[in-house]
Amino acid sequence: MILVHVEAEKNIKTVVGNKNMNRDDALTLKAVVLYILKNCSAHVSRNIYHIVKTAFLAHQKHLAKYLCPMYEDKFVALQFGPVPSNIYDALKIARGDANTMYFHRNDDLHLVYDSVSFKDEFYTAKEEPDINFLSTSAIECLSQALEEVSGMNFDQIMNATHGAEWTRVYNNPDLRFMNYLAIAQEGGADDSAISYLKENQEIDDMLK
């Protein structure tokens, strides 16, 4: 059943990730994907759906608990839930999407998609994750997300990731990316945490 849903997700509106990432950002995304693939429970399908949902939940946990992003990516609201756009793009390229590869021809996303292989809808890691690009807190949140996803079926994963922010963005064709403050709030961040994240975001925006 999951394969049917994954195939359907290929046919929805095309959304490509942000190209404003440096080499270290790409290497962090690579470490995240490889860590998920290497630590997935044996009974969990290593398909694009499980990978991106685990990456999203881990990032949300990290935002809510540690008040900073676990990795640099933007999140889009696709039919079956939130998706980290560059991770999603890397997985699409690994399965042969030439259009998405062309979009990323001038950045370092190849570091991610070259590190995985794809066959019969499933991904495998070609190498071990470089833990130097994962903080202790990132590993904690990834491990928690992996454990959660391993205990959920498709519908339960959908329910866990289809929050108000996903609904807002998915139902508005003029919106492209989800707001990370809303993602953090839905992950359990309280008002003081949201205020801190908002202040940091405003500082970052001024420095750009």
Side-chain angles (χ1 to χ4, degrees), residues 127-181:
E127 55 190 275
E128 296 293 326
D130 187 343
I131 303 302
N132 291 319
F133 287 93
L134 295 176
S135 64
T136 301
S137 59
I139 292 173
E140 173 194 318
C141 294
L142 280 166
S143 298
Q144 290 175 354
L146 282 162
E147 183 176 358
E148 285 186 18
V149 171
S150 70
M152 293 190 287
N153 59 32
F154 181 85
D155 290 335
Q156 289 170 328
I157 297 173
M158 283 186 64
N159 290 336
T161 56
H162 281 56
E165 177 62 6
W166 171 85
T167 301
R168 181 184 75 89
V169 176
Y170 182 73
N171 291 315
N172 188 336
D174 295 327
L175 297 177
R176 185 178 182 192
F177 296 119
M178 295 170 63
N179 183 294
Y180 90 104
L181 296 177

Side-chain angles (χ1 to χ4, degrees), residues 34-57:
L34 291 177
Y35 188 91
I36 291 171
L37 289 173
K38 285 290 187 176
N39 291 277
C40 237
S41 296
H43 69 279
V44 174
S45 298
R46 288 167 172 79
N47 57 35
I48 194 169
Y49 185 79
H50 283 95
I51 297 168
V52 296
K53 297 309 176 191
T54 301
F56 169 77
L57 288 172

Side-chain angles (χ1 to χ4, degrees), residues 10-205:
K10 294 180 185 178
N11 299 320
I12 62 179
K13 61 182 180 180
T14 300
V15 180
V16 289
N18 54 304
K19 296 191 290 183
N20 298 323
M21 62 173 170
N22 58 40
R23 185 177 180 85
D24 282 351
D25 290 341
L27 288 170
T28 300
L29 295 183
K30 173 184 174 181
V32 168
V33 172
L34 291 177
Y35 188 91
I36 291 171
L37 289 173
K38 285 290 187 176
N39 291 277
C40 237
S41 296
H43 69 279
V44 174
S45 298
R46 288 167 172 79
N47 57 35
I48 194 169
Y49 185 79
H50 283 95
I51 297 168
V52 296
K53 297 309 176 191
T54 301
F56 169 77
L57 288 172
H59 189 273
Q60 183 180 56
K61 291 176 185 298
H62 202 277
L63 274 177
K65 184 174 182 179
Y66 294 104
L67 307 184
C68 64
M70 195 181 84
Y71 51 82
E72 294 298 324
D73 208 344
K74 293 183 182 294
F75 290 82
V76 293
L78 299 187
Q79 181 179 359
F80 297 112
V83 168
S85 57
N86 281 320
I87 290 178
Y88 184 58
D89 282 357
L91 295 173
K92 287 194 296 181
I93 293 170
R95 72 185 182 195
D97 188 328
N99 290 332
T100 304
M101 179 183 287
Y102 181 79
F103 178 84
H104 287 282
R105 65 193 181 281
N106 295 323
D107 62 30
D108 288 314
L109 196 65
H110 63 91
L111 296 168
V112 185
Y113 60 75
D114 283 343
S115 70
V116 301
S117 57
F118 176 79
K119 183 178 181 181
D120 299 328
E121 294 302 332
F122 299 110
Y123 293 85
T124 54
K126 293 181 180 178
E127 55 190 275
E128 296 293 326
D130 187 343
I131 303 302
N132 291 319
F133 287 93
L134 295 176
S135 64
T136 301
S137 59
I139 292 173
E140 173 194 318
C141 294
L142 280 166
S143 298
Q144 290 175 354
L146 282 162
E147 183 176 358
E148 285 186 18
V149 171
S150 70
M152 293 190 287
N153 59 32
F154 181 85
D155 290 335
Q156 289 170 328
I157 297 173
M158 283 186 64
N159 290 336
T161 56
H162 281 56
E165 177 62 6
W166 171 85
T167 301
R168 181 184 75 89
V169 176
Y170 182 73
N171 291 315
N172 188 336
D174 295 327
L175 297 177
R176 185 178 182 192
F177 296 119
M178 295 170 63
N179 183 294
Y180 90 104
L181 296 177
I183 292 173
Q185 189 169 41
E186 291 178 11
D190 60 21
D191 290 343
S192 61
I194 295 300
S195 178
Y196 174 83
L197 286 168
K198 184 177 181 180
E199 181 178 341
N200 281 357
Q201 180 62 58
E202 291 172 349
I203 293 173
D204 287 344
D205 290 343

